[in-house]
Amino acid sequence: MPTNSPTLKEVAQRAGVHVTTASRALNPATSSLVNPATMRRVQAAARELRYQPNAMARGLKTSRSMSVGVLLPDLTNPLFPPIVRGIEDVLAASGYTTLIANTDNDLERQRTLFDTLRARQVDGVIIATARRDDTLFAEAHQQGLRMVMVNRRVDQSDIPSVTGDDHDGIAMAVRHLIELGHTRIAHVGGPQHTSTGRTRQRAYRQALDDAGIELDPGLLVTAQEFTEAEGATAARAMFESGKRPTAVVAANDMIALGCLDVFAERRMRCPRDISLVGFNDMPFVDRLTPPLSTVHVPHYQIGAEAARMLLERLANPDLPAKSITLPATLVLRESTAAPKV
Amino acid sequence: MPTNSPTLKEVAQRAGVHVTTASRALNPATSSLVNPATMRRVQAAARELRYQPNAMARGLKTSRSMSVGVLLPDLTNPLFPPIVRGIEDVLAASGYTTLIANTDNDLERQRTLFDTLRARQVDGVIIATARRDDTLFAEAHQQGLRMVMVNRRVDQSDIPSVTGDDHDGIAMAVRHLIELGHTRIAHVGGPQHTSTGRTRQRAYRQALDDAGIELDPGLLVTAQEFTEAEGATAARAMFESGKRPTAVVAANDMIALGCLDVFAERRMRCPRDISLVGFNDMPFVDRLTPPLSTVHVPHYQIGAEAARMLLERLANPDLPAKSITLPATLVLRESTAAPKV
DNA sequence: CCTGAGTTTGCAATCGTTTTCCGCCGCTGA
DNA sequence: TCAGCGGCGGAAAACGATTGCAAACTCAGG
């Protein structure tokens, strides 16, 4: 009486064949082994019964669950939905189901969720929560679990990854500000335990260096997390220590939001009094006041590419690990202007 | 060599007991059947091997997958992530895994995804994509599939649902505008095949009626979808037909965004020239120009409540269907003002 | 009419659990 | 001393599919 889906056996009975034959008839890979006429009978029976193969039974036998896990910090951060869509769209096209887990940046929780995913026998994992020094994933990777990192990566490891071009993105942002005439350019960095936070900060230093501008250490602060609140805290600290940049490069858009809050607190108008560039081009930052200039990263593509890469490795386990970097582009809106003289 | 997770059998061997005993020892519900000392031995063995029960094998045997499906229009719409988080948080606490599927408002796709979910033997489904006239779900519901609707519901059906208070929300919005002195109040409605679109539009008419304001049919337009583009199209049509409202109530924030675009096209400033109220209080609408006044709906709660309700019904299948309505609140920001005289 | 190759089909084992049914063991009470 | 009982643990059958192997059948060629 409850959800009694028809089983393969029932289909077979209805078609008057053995369950083996039914199995073969319904599976494109083996259907050539069965007489075309029988195959049609079986398929008809399946259709009439609205037969759906039991994924768990199949998975148990084949030891492939046709599902992959995705580990995110937090789905609620607008950065991630596009990535997830990219992943889901390509995975679904190959018959895979996506399992999403939110770690909330909690290592304990992450470990639990990761275990749950493994208990569900996911065929692979896509990870967006990597810390540079992570060992959990490296270990699982050794053990043969297929995975790919998105957005962030792990230091010196041969886990494949797909990321945006953090370095180039920041370089473009800094160059843009310099061209506008800025020299006192600050950076509100992201957590240094993430590859993104670290790479972007390094890119900032290097871009300054390339332009022959000496770094004022007081203009370099780092937020503890990629959040509006932490971004604000870091920016506030900088201003309170008396520093007066004419432009700020934020490590991401959330942090930029925090900067905007601090500007407002201090009655500085953006871009008149101070310029700001974000990173990621999250949805809706084009509708802020002012519309935020930021580095666009093709998140949907990143997700899609990561999924493709995972599929590839699922099909061919010992492919060499590669890292894909997708180009970033600077999108200029209204949060940057020449410095006041 | 590949992902060879330890099996229950190996745990049993290591503990020197039969697999049956190992199973009982590890399962809290049956562990009282085994000697405490043996139980400890088994648990130790399990821990040492980092044993994780194979969810597929277990599910196959128990015919409970401990997973539930969630059907969304599009994860990329900022409305949904909070709902999903609410769902996931309570479901995860009970050991359930969440499977998310995006239908993109495509009925065909929805049908396929729904079938995939069933193939995965989900124990229940939470649906955010309902159309008022839906039959697909009603049918599955008859067949005993547990489900609950979030946000939207299906006409005259006994499928349980959790929604925000659409009627009251709009009523508050309209009353607020009337108190401000507006009388030419327009409504850009949402698709009428959704319960939200329809209920909100009715609430608009009724609120006007309650205030003794006669409805100008030209001030009532409806968008084909809950999107910025469709919202803009509908609003544009209204203005082009010569109507001059002093305030607009949008059926949701996306549509409100579209209205804002049209205001800008026509060089109308909000709220100076025209007031606007949205619906949902999506993330970031507080940072628009102007910060959007809107009806706040507790999306996380809605998700959490829906999950709880599903859990309840999973535990006790023939609970009577109930509908929960969560209160909406009007949040006033800067997009409404008294009409110009 | 028989042989053998080729095509279809069925049998049975199996994946890793859970669960029902039993049997063993030791203890108690008469 | 022995029947009976409770507590514990094992045997074996499932759950619904896939798959190696072998049986059955078809048909052509000798």
Side-chain angles (χ1 to χ4, degrees):
Chain A
M1 186 60 49
T3 326
N4 44 2
S5 346
T7 99
L8 189 56
K9 187 152 83 170
E10 304 178 54
V11 173
Q13 268 161 7
R14 180 176 251 260
V17 299
H18 193 263
V19 40
T20 303
T21 310
S23 170
R24 287 196 272 249
L26 262 18
N27 185 334
T30 50
S31 63
S32 60
L33 294 176
V34 16
N35 187 308
T38 355
M39 184 176 103
R40 274 193 298 278
R41 270 212 329 286
V42 174
Q43 288 178 335
R47 209 171 317 112
E48 286 160 26
L49 259 31
R50 307 195 104 273
Y51 170 73
Q52 285 277 125
N54 181 321
M56 292 191 308
R58 175 189 304 210
L60 178 58
K61 181 61 188 168
T62 61
S63 62
R64 307 193 58 206
S65 64
M66 293 305 279
S67 68
V68 338
V70 177
L71 238 33
L72 302 176
D74 177 18
L75 188 57
T76 269
N77 177 335
L79 176 62
F80 296 108
I83 298 185
V84 172
R85 279 308 305 262
I87 294 174
E88 285 192 329
D89 286 355
V90 353
L91 249 28
S94 296
Y96 282 82
T97 297
T98 308
L99 269 43
I100 298 172
N102 299 90
T103 67
D104 286 325
N105 285 317
D106 176 338
L107 256 28
E108 177 65 27
R109 201 174 141 90
Q110 163 157 300
R111 157 133 239 146
T112 314
L113 290 167
F114 191 59
D115 284 347
T116 323
L117 289 178
R118 304 192 74 175
R120 296 216 170 250
Q121 313 290 120
V122 292
D123 297 331
V125 185
I126 296 181
I127 296 163
T129 57
R131 285 160 163 265
R132 286 178 33 232
D133 59 357
D134 185 278
T135 60
L136 172 58
F137 300 133
E139 192 182 315
H141 183 242
Q142 296 313 335
Q143 290 169 24
L145 180 61
R146 313 285 169 251
M147 57 177 121
V148 3
M149 304 279 167
V150 274
N151 215 21
R152 305 178 183 179
R153 34 186 152 189
V154 171
D155 278 356
Q156 53 202 154
S157 99
D158 52 353
I159 303 179
S161 63
V162 181
T163 60
D165 195 331
D166 290 322
H167 197 95
D168 189 46
I170 290 289
M172 287 189 293
V174 173
R175 275 204 306 271
H176 164 65
L177 292 169
I178 292 174
E179 278 162 19
L180 245 27
H182 295 273
T183 53
R184 294 204 309 284
I185 302 174
H187 178 55
V188 181
Q192 296 297 300
H193 60 76
T194 63
S195 67
T196 42
R198 158 97 139 215
T199 306
R200 290 175 199 170
Q201 179 166 313
R202 291 188 162 184
Y204 158 80
R205 303 178 97 114
Q206 168 141 19
L208 248 36
D209 201 51
D210 288 352
I213 298 179
E214 195 180 349
L215 171 71
D216 174 349
L219 290 180
L220 175 50
V221 292
T222 89
Q224 295 310 302
E225 290 180 45
F226 282 116
T227 62
E228 179 172 351
E230 291 298 327
T233 304
R236 200 174 291 120
M238 174 175 68
F239 284 111
E240 279 170 3
S241 75
K243 291 298 171 182
R244 291 295 171 267
T246 61
V248 176
V249 175
N252 84 347
D253 290 341
M254 286 298 204
I255 291 179
L257 242 34
C259 292
L260 242 23
D261 296 337
V262 174
F263 296 168
E265 284 168 20
R266 307 186 71 88
R267 313 239 171 282
M268 304 170 75
R269 273 160 309 173
C270 173
R272 235 190 105 195
D273 304 325
I274 189 163
S275 290
L276 177 64
V277 183
F279 202 105
N280 274 340
D281 196 17
M282 282 188 343
F284 299 101
V285 295
D286 55 333
R287 310 206 60 139
L288 297 178
T289 316
L292 187 67
S293 293
T294 187
V295 176
H296 177 85
V297 178
H299 291 110
Y300 181 91
Q301 266 54 281
I302 288 186
E305 205 53 59
R308 256 176 246 127
M309 198 184 253
L310 185 62
L311 248 22
E312 212 173 279
R313 300 176 68 78
L314 250 23
N316 187 348
D318 29 40
L319 234 39
K322 63 182 170 185
S323 285
I324 297 187
T325 311
L326 263 30
T329 51
L330 181 61
V331 0
L332 264 18
R333 292 200 265 250
E334 299 168 31
S335 65
T336 53
K340 282 189 297 191
V341 281
Chain B
M1 185 61 47
T3 326
N4 44 1
S5 343
T7 97
L8 190 56
K9 187 152 84 170
E10 304 178 54
V11 173
Q13 268 162 6
R14 180 176 250 259
V17 299
H18 193 265
V19 40
T20 304
T21 310
S23 170
R24 285 197 274 249
L26 262 17
N27 186 334
T30 52
S31 63
S32 60
L33 294 176
V34 16
N35 186 307
T38 340
M39 184 176 102
R40 273 193 298 279
R41 270 215 325 287
V42 174
Q43 287 179 336
R47 212 171 316 113
E48 287 160 26
L49 259 31
R50 306 196 102 273
Y51 170 72
Q52 286 278 125
N54 182 322
M56 291 191 311
R58 182 198 301 235
L60 178 58
K61 182 62 191 169
T62 61
S63 61
R64 307 193 58 205
S65 64
M66 293 303 281
S67 68
V68 338
V70 177
L71 238 33
L72 302 177
D74 177 18
L75 188 58
T76 270
N77 179 333
L79 176 62
F80 296 108
I83 298 185
V84 172
R85 279 309 305 260
I87 294 174
E88 286 193 330
D89 285 355
V90 353
L91 249 28
S94 295
Y96 282 82
T97 298
T98 309
L99 269 42
I100 297 174
N102 301 91
T103 67
D104 287 324
N105 286 317
D106 176 337
L107 257 27
E108 176 65 27
R109 202 174 140 91
Q110 163 157 299
R111 157 131 240 146
T112 314
L113 290 167
F114 191 60
D115 284 347
T116 327
L117 289 178
R118 304 194 72 175
R120 297 216 171 249
Q121 313 291 118
V122 292
D123 298 331
V125 185
I126 296 182
I127 296 163
T129 56
R131 285 159 162 264
R132 285 177 34 230
D133 59 356
D134 184 280
T135 60
L136 172 57
F137 300 132
E139 190 182 316
H141 183 241
Q142 296 313 335
Q143 291 170 22
L145 180 61
R146 314 287 169 246
M147 57 178 135
V148 4
M149 303 279 166
V150 276
N151 214 26
R152 305 178 183 178
R153 36 187 151 189
V154 171
D155 278 355
Q156 55 204 151
S157 99
D158 51 352
I159 304 179
S161 63
V162 182
T163 59
D165 195 331
D166 290 323
H167 197 95
D168 189 45
I170 290 289
M172 289 188 293
V174 174
R175 275 204 306 271
H176 163 65
L177 291 169
I178 292 174
E179 279 161 19
L180 245 25
H182 294 274
T183 53
R184 294 205 307 283
I185 303 174
H187 178 54
V188 181
Q192 297 296 302
H193 59 78
T194 64
S195 66
T196 41
R198 160 96 139 215
T199 305
R200 290 174 199 170
Q201 179 166 312
R202 290 188 162 184
Y204 158 80
R205 303 178 97 114
Q206 170 141 18
L208 248 35
D209 201 50
D210 288 351
I213 297 179
E214 194 178 349
L215 171 70
D216 174 350
L219 290 180
L220 175 51
V221 293
T222 90
Q224 295 311 302
E225 290 180 46
F226 282 115
T227 61
E228 179 174 351
E230 290 298 325
T233 304
R236 200 174 291 121
M238 175 175 66
F239 285 112
E240 279 171 4
S241 76
K243 291 297 172 182
R244 290 295 171 268
T246 61
V248 176
V249 174
N252 84 346
D253 290 340
M254 285 300 206
I255 291 179
L257 242 33
C259 291
L260 243 23
D261 295 338
V262 174
F263 296 168
E265 283 168 20
R266 308 185 70 89
R267 313 238 172 281
M268 304 169 75
R269 273 159 309 171
C270 174
R272 233 191 106 196
D273 305 324
I274 190 164
S275 290
L276 178 64
V277 183
F279 202 106
N280 275 337
D281 196 16
M282 284 187 344
F284 298 100
V285 294
D286 55 332
R287 311 207 57 140
L288 296 179
T289 314
L292 187 67
S293 294
T294 186
V295 176
H296 177 85
V297 178
H299 290 111
Y300 181 91
Q301 266 55 283
I302 288 186
E305 204 54 58
R308 256 176 246 129
M309 196 183 257
L310 185 62
L311 249 21
E312 212 174 279
R313 300 176 68 79
L314 250 23
N316 187 346
D318 29 40
L319 233 40
K322 63 182 170 185
S323 284
I324 296 187
T325 314
L326 263 29
T329 51
L330 181 61
V331 1
L332 263 18
R333 291 200 266 249
E334 299 167 30
S335 65
T336 53
K340 282 189 296 191
V341 281

